[in-house]
Amino acid sequence: MPLIAEIFEVQKDDFVAAGEASAKIKRTLKKLGVGSEVIRRIAVCAYEVELNLIIHSLGGTIDFSVTQERVTLVVKDVGPGIPNVDLAMREGWSTAPESVRMMGFGAGMGLPNMKRNADEFDIHSEMGVGTEITMKFNIK
Amino acid sequence: MVIRRIAELLDAQVVLGADKLDLDVGAAFSSDMMSDVLAYVTGGTVLLTGMVNEHVIRTAEMVDLECIVFVRGKVPTKEIIDLAEENGMVLMTTAHTLYVTSGILYSNGLEGIGRRE
Ligand SMILES: Nc1ncnc2c1ncn2[C@@H]1O[C@H](COP(=O)(O)OP(=O)(O)OP(=O)(O)O)[C@@H](O)[C@H]1O
Ligand SMILES: [Mg+2]
């Protein structure tokens, strides 16, 4: 039984709200008394994936759940999908437009950073369908 | 290095968190790319940046950064300051460039973060 289960909707191009879901996730974990090092890793992954939904996807959801042992983020979007996941996972590979770079993002660091910070990382993507990323963090 | 000393060395104007200048930071990181901040930085670090927008504050929040120095005389807007205040941060602005800001702090003993494994 999860202690907490919450779903955050993230809209395409909604830069104004960027970080709101991740900030809520971070606050919730602080209240639960989870260790600060793992909270930082979870917050970084949540923010990276939230930004990717805003920048690259047509919109999606972050499903956040907490049990005694772990925190899970399941992230689903409604497209467009990633044509080559191996390439997307490489540091420095980005299709972000110039406008996104002007804001300080689009270095192609997000996906590899999520993989490094999560205890388990799983990505599936299908063109025309969408992308699903699952990240798990041990908090015990 | 104590944040107060950072402000003095940089001849910086503290725009938020004047009551938190006794806070100590162990290292500094200079970047205009928030993607790199997310990939390299952990708490106890001061961020030196020429990027001024709300995403800088959000990024700092996620990696537990408590102090941001805006370089090249950039001044944060009220929205940016409000978001930083919610997170209990210290914000300051210096007229120096990113290179000179980094050089002043480094030559006064504030180290960079370690290289990523
Ligand atoms: N949800 C998504 N839907 C479609 N494409 C995606 C999605 N997430 C990532 N991508 C693709 O994978 C690439 C790499 O993503 P990654 O997060 O590593 O870098 P970035 O977002 O481009 O830059 P950064 O994360 O450093 O700001 C993106 O440029 C984009 O082409
Ligand atoms: Mg990204």
Side-chain angles (χ1 to χ4, degrees):
Chain A
M1 262 295 283
L3 301 170
I4 286 174
E6 203 171 343
I7 295 180
F8 298 95
E9 286 197 20
V10 183
Q11 312 291 330
K12 166 185 166 36
D13 291 330
D14 191 2
F15 287 98
V16 176
E20 282 179 7
S22 308
K24 277 186 198 149
I25 287 170
K26 184 163 192 181
R27 232 173 289 138
T28 302
L29 293 171
K30 263 193 193 160
K31 264 190 225 147
L32 288 175
V34 175
S36 59
E37 190 271 343
V38 64
I39 291 185
R40 182 183 45 73
R41 288 194 284 117
I42 296 166
V44 165
C45 288
Y47 190 48
E48 292 276 19
V49 89
E50 185 180 358
L51 285 166
N52 278 1
L53 288 176
I54 293 167
I55 296 168
H56 306 293
S57 89
L58 300 171
T61 52
I62 301 173
D63 192 327
F64 163 61
S65 61
V66 185
T67 64
Q68 292 291 351
E69 288 79 31
R70 60 161 129 214
V71 171
T72 306
L73 300 174
V74 179
V75 185
K76 293 178 191 168
D77 67 46
V78 294
I82 302 174
N84 185 335
V85 171
D86 288 343
L87 204 55
M89 287 303 302
R90 254 188 239 168
E91 252 184 29
W93 198 83
S94 175
T95 61
E98 185 58 25
S99 57
V100 165
R101 277 168 223 247
M102 295 292 289
M103 284 187 257
F105 300 106
M109 299 294 279
L111 287 171
N113 198 25
M114 290 176 226
K115 185 165 184 190
R116 192 170 46 241
N117 277 297
D119 292 313
E120 281 177 46
F121 177 91
D122 196 42
I123 180 167
H124 287 285
S125 193
E126 198 177 327
M127 288 307 288
V129 179
T131 301
E132 184 170 336
I133 295 173
T134 302
M135 292 181 272
K136 293 182 181 169
F137 306 84
N138 304 322
I139 57 172
K140 257 270 140 68
Chain B
M1 184 181 282
V2 172
I3 292 177
R4 183 185 313 281
R5 177 96 177 111
I6 292 176
E8 283 166 7
L9 287 169
L10 298 176
D11 208 2
Q13 190 196 336
V14 176
V15 290
L16 178 72
D19 56 324
K20 298 190 188 74
L21 298 184
D22 293 323
L23 224 80
D24 207 30
V25 292
F29 185 79
S30 303
S31 182
D32 286 354
M33 259 331 232
M34 293 308 111
S35 303
D36 285 334
V37 176
L38 286 166
Y40 283 87
V41 176
T42 56
T45 304
V46 55
L47 173 64
L48 317 176
T49 186
M51 181 63 73
V52 191
N53 61 38
E54 279 154 78
H55 308 302
V56 174
I57 309 297
R58 282 294 187 206
T59 299
E61 176 185 359
M62 299 312 155
V63 295
D64 298 325
L65 283 181
E66 289 152 318
C67 179
I68 303 170
V69 178
F70 295 109
V71 302
R72 305 192 287 270
K74 309 236 169 157
V75 182
T77 61
K78 179 165 185 314
E79 287 72 27
I80 295 172
I81 295 171
D82 287 349
L83 187 59
E85 190 166 23
E86 273 176 42
N87 287 288
M89 293 173 184
V90 178
L91 301 183
M92 60 180 96
T93 173
T94 175
H96 293 300
T97 62
L98 186 55
Y99 180 73
V100 172
T101 301
S102 307
I104 290 172
L105 296 181
Y106 191 81
S107 61
N108 279 279
L110 183 61
E111 294 195 12
I113 60 169
R115 286 204 279 184
R116 219 178 52 197
E117 336 69 70

